[in-house]
Amino acid sequence: MSPQTGDRIVVKKIAVFAYHGLYEEEARLGQRFNISLECWLDLAPAGQGDDLAKGVSYADLVSMVQEIAVGERFQIIEALGERIAATILAQQPLIEAVAVTVEKPGAAIAALFETIEVTIHRRRAR
């Protein structure tokens, strides 16, 4: 199963207040981050059986993101995305591939912009 094809679970813009960034002010003051997930997996068993035990809990995915984003500190959002992707693949064996998008709307850049974001695509090793 590859990103762009197959069944997927999408969770958009989980908002967290955290302390990621290169600058001392970011570590001291913190800021808002938005994290979105796309998880590719076969949803047929869960859907056909109307059985969450054959799928993935959205609440568990959100909890993982919140725990990592708030409980750990990263200098760059690429590292935050990597950690979330690795954790999802390690803890959710039904998920074959994941895309994690981390938005940093308050990035310390002297320009007017809506947001800065990175997307990390990772797939389970076969």
Side-chain angles (χ1 to χ4, degrees), residues 10-16 32-37 65 101 103 105 114-115 117:
V10 177
V11 182
K12 292 186 180 180
K13 297 196 183 214
I14 303 162
V16 297
R32 178 187 175 130
F33 296 83
N34 298 311
I35 301 165
S36 298
L37 306 174
V65 167
T101 299
E103 294 181 47
E114 183 177 336
T115 192
E117 69 182 36

Side-chain angles (χ1 to χ4, degrees), residues 12-105:
K12 292 186 180 180
K13 297 196 183 214
I14 303 162
V16 297
F17 191 86
Y19 299 86
H20 311 298
L22 292 172
Y23 303 110
E24 182 180 320
E25 296 81 20
E26 293 174 308
R28 187 170 44 82
L29 299 174
Q31 62 190 290
R32 178 187 175 130
F33 296 83
N34 298 311
I35 301 165
S36 298
L37 306 174
E38 290 183 76
C39 302
W40 284 266
L41 67 157
D42 183 2
L43 293 172
Q48 292 167 357
D50 195 18
D51 186 354
L52 178 59
K54 295 178 181 176
V56 172
S57 164
Y58 320 137
D60 289 349
L61 293 172
V62 170
S63 180
M64 278 187 263
V65 167
Q66 290 173 319
E67 186 175 313
I68 294 165
V70 175
E72 299 181 34
R73 186 175 187 300
F74 299 91
Q75 290 192 21
I76 59 175
I77 59 177
E78 292 85 344
L80 173 57
E82 279 288 344
R83 176 77 164 91
I84 292 169
T87 300
I88 288 172
L89 290 175
Q91 294 184 11
Q92 297 291 333
L94 296 178
I95 295 176
E96 293 296 322
V98 63
V100 179
T101 299
V102 180
E103 294 181 47
K104 187 174 181 179

